[in-house]
């Protein structure tokens, strides 16, 4: 039988324990288990074994809100014919699919795909709070055939409040594709050597694309397209430095509304920052653009089957738009639309080209001009 003294001591110990839990935080009481794709699901990561099924099983068995660790290794992935996505661009196949909130910590994991197989790596579909961190997604070679969506490294489709951070992609048709996906974060991603865009935001709103590198790709290297709104592209490096690729586009703002392109560096393109096809009320500010045929352009479109709709109310503010390619004089070029504002930019003499003569005279006084010596 427990006497009063013993009960008092046990009560004191219990109170002390509760205080200890409070001080150390809830993680002390509810320690989160991180699932491991190698040790628990048999993924080899040796570059030879096909690890597609093992990693998909690990994804499927990670609980909602859980964390899956894919440790360092080379993971060979193959096409899953059941994972077929349909987008505004066409059909795309993938190796892996995520349909619930989870976090993938991929560290130094390398995911290898066969470009001839025409498939991508991750399809994130109809979910939220998916977080992909780290990892290298590399095709064996640059796709030589197929469509712009035949090999997408990561497709985030109809999903919200998710993030892709510190990921490297190479040799895909597109690196990162946001498709009807809102309120997401793409940060510290490097995407290079793609058949199409390195990063594309298609018909998606409220997304942030920050501190990314997009290099030596095609189409619009970093593209806002399809009628999205209130997106932010900030602090990115977008460049083309391959010989013979003189007709590329850097950052495209196409049919986009109320979005901001800020503090990016864009170099090596025909059109550096390209605003076209019905873009409206976008802000282009604080960017460094150089060595482009057109450093910053507001124009109708590309012709052919593309839209040729004027863009209006574009604010071009405080950009450094200098040293256009070779003999070009197109530092800032506007030949269509109404309501544009062009102030505080630094450009070279004769490099501000505006269709409307009255506006050209006005904005000559509100920008800074440098002269070649």
């Amino acid at each position: 039988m427990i006497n009063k003294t013993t009960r008092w001591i046990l009560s004191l110990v219990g109170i002390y324990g509760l205080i200890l839990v409070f001080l150390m935080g809830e993680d002390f009481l509810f320690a989160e288990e991180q699932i491991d794709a190698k040790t628990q699901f048999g993924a080899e990561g040796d570059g030879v074994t096909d690890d597609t099924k093992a990693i998909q099983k690990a994804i499927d068995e990670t609980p909602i809100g859980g964390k899956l660790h894919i440790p360092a290794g080379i993971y060979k992935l193959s096409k899953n014919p059941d994972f077929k996505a349909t987008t505004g661009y066409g059909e795309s196949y993938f190796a892996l699919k995520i349909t619930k909130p989870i976090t993938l910590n991929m560290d130094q994991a390398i995911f290898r795909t066969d470009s001839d197989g025409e498939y991508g790596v991750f399809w994130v579909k109809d979910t939220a709070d998916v977080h992909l961190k780290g990892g290298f997604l590399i095709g064996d070679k640059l796709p030589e055939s197929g469509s712009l969506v035949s090999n997408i490294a990561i497709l985030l489709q109809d999903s919200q409040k998710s993030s892709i951070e510190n990921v490297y992609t190479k040799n895909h048709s597109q690196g990162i594709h946001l498709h009807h996906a809102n309120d997401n974060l793409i940060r510290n991603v490097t995407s290079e050597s793609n058949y199409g865009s390195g990063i594309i935001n298609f018909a998606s709103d409220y997304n942030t694309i920050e501190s990314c590198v997009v290099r030596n790709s095609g189409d619009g290297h970093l593209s806002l397209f399809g009628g999205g709104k209130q997106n932010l592209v900030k602090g990115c490096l977008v460049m083309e430095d391959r010989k013979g690729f003189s007709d590329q586009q850097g950052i495209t703002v196409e049919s986009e509304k109320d979005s901001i392109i800020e503090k990016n560096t864009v170099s090596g393109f025909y059109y550096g920052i390209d605003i076209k096809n019905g873009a409206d009320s976008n802000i282009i500010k604080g960017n460094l653009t150089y060595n482009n045929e057109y450093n910053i352009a507001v124009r109708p479109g590309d012709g052919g089957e593309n839209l040729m709709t004027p863009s209006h109310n574009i604010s071009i503010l405080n950009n450094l738009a200098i040293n256009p390619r070779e003999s070009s004089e197109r530092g800032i070029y506007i030949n269509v639309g109404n309501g544009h504002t062009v102030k505080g930019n630094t450009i070279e003499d004769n490099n501000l080209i505006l269709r409307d003569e009255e506006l050209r005279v006005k904005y000559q006084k509100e920008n800074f001009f440098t002269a070649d010596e």
Side-chain angles (χ1 to χ4, degrees):
M1 185 173 180
I2 300 176
N3 58 34
K4 291 183 179 180
T5 302
T6 303
R7 283 199 299 268
W8 182 84
I9 293 173
L10 291 174
S11 298
L12 185 63
V13 170
I15 293 170
Y16 177 79
L18 290 173
I19 294 173
L20 181 63
V21 169
F22 176 78
L23 292 175
M24 296 187 68
E26 62 180 5
D27 289 342
F28 176 80
L29 186 60
F30 304 106
E32 184 175 12
E33 180 182 0
Q34 182 168 251
I35 296 170
D36 191 286
K38 268 192 174 183
T39 59
Q40 294 176 255
F41 292 92
E44 296 291 341
D46 58 9
V48 177
T49 305
D50 188 336
D51 287 318
T52 309
K53 291 183 179 180
I55 295 176
Q56 185 61 53
K57 185 174 176 60
I59 291 171
D60 293 341
E61 296 194 17
T62 298
I64 292 175
K67 294 183 178 180
L68 171 60
H69 181 225
I70 304 178
I74 301 175
Y75 298 88
K76 180 181 176 182
L77 300 177
S78 58
K79 179 189 210 174
N80 187 328
D82 294 328
F83 293 166
K84 181 176 74 172
T86 301
T87 70
Y89 278 82
E91 296 178 345
S92 311
Y93 287 91
F94 292 87
L96 304 169
K97 185 177 181 181
I98 301 172
T99 58
K100 60 186 174 184
I102 61 172
T103 296
L104 266 66
N105 293 315
M106 298 178 281
D107 296 336
Q108 298 299 307
I110 299 173
F111 298 88
R112 289 282 190 186
T113 54
D114 175 7
S115 297
D116 288 340
E118 297 190 358
Y119 63 100
V121 181
F122 290 108
W123 179 20
V124 182
K125 171 67 171 170
D126 288 329
T127 187
D129 291 311
V130 172
H131 305 286
L132 305 180
K133 300 181 179 182
F136 299 81
L137 283 55
I138 303 176
D140 59 342
K141 63 181 179 180
L142 183 68
E144 297 175 353
S145 61
S147 70
L148 290 175
V149 290
S150 58
N151 307 71
I152 303 176
I154 301 174
L155 172 61
L156 194 63
Q157 184 177 19
D158 299 306
S159 296
Q160 295 77 41
K161 299 185 182 300
S162 297
S163 64
I164 302 170
E165 298 184 81
N166 303 310
V167 173
Y168 176 86
T169 80
K170 183 177 181 179
N171 290 343
H172 297 280
S173 59
Q174 295 177 343
I176 311 295
H177 186 135
L178 305 178
H179 194 89
H180 294 281
N182 304 326
D183 197 19
N184 300 291
L185 172 65
I186 311 300
R187 183 165 56 197
N188 294 331
V189 165
T190 295
S191 184
E192 62 178 349
S193 298
N194 300 289
Y195 178 74
S197 298
I199 300 175
I200 182 168
N201 186 89
F202 181 86
S204 299
D205 308 329
Y206 310 109
N207 292 312
T208 295
I209 302 170
E210 182 179 13
S211 302
C212 295
V213 176
V214 182
R215 176 176 172 268
N216 293 353
S217 296
D219 207 30
H221 276 49
L222 197 164
S223 183
L224 306 182
F225 178 53
K229 65 179 183 293
Q230 297 191 36
N231 297 293
L232 172 65
V233 177
K234 183 176 181 179
C236 296
L237 172 62
V238 184
M239 66 181 299
E240 172 64 69
D241 59 11
R242 295 172 293 181
K243 292 183 178 180
F245 288 80
S246 59
D247 60 347
Q248 305 294 311
Q249 301 166 19
I251 297 177
T252 60
V253 183
E254 190 167 0
S255 308
E256 185 80 6
K257 186 175 181 180
D258 295 323
S259 292
I260 299 174
I261 310 299
E262 180 181 8
K263 296 181 180 178
N264 304 283
T265 299
V266 186
S267 176
F269 299 97
Y270 195 83
Y271 291 105
I273 299 178
D274 191 18
I275 303 104
K276 59 186 179 180
N277 291 343
D280 186 46
S281 301
N282 300 290
I283 299 174
I284 315 299
K285 66 177 182 179
N287 300 282
L288 169 59
T289 61
Y290 66 97
N291 189 34
N292 306 288
E293 185 75 16
Y294 294 75
N295 279 329
I296 301 174
V298 181
R299 62 191 186 93
D302 296 316
E305 296 181 1
N306 277 4
L307 296 172
M308 292 289 287
T309 307
S311 297
H312 302 295
N313 305 311
I314 306 301
S315 297
I316 302 176
L317 310 172
N318 306 324
N319 300 281
L320 187 58
I322 58 172
N323 298 331
R325 180 183 291 169
E326 298 177 353
S327 59
S328 172
E329 295 181 347
R330 302 174 183 93
I332 296 176
Y333 173 88
I334 300 175
N335 79 335
V336 69
N338 301 309
H340 304 308
T341 302
V342 185
K343 293 183 179 181
N345 303 283
T346 299
I347 49 184
E348 295 171 27
D349 281 344
N350 303 314
N351 279 197
L352 176 61
I353 302 176
L354 305 178
R355 180 196 63 174
D356 189 302
E357 183 176 354
E358 183 178 341
L359 290 179
R360 184 165 63 250
V361 172
K362 173 184 177 180
Y363 286 128
Q364 284 283 340
K365 302 175 182 178
E366 300 193 34
N367 293 278
F368 304 97
F369 295 88
T370 64
D372 291 332
E373 296 181 0

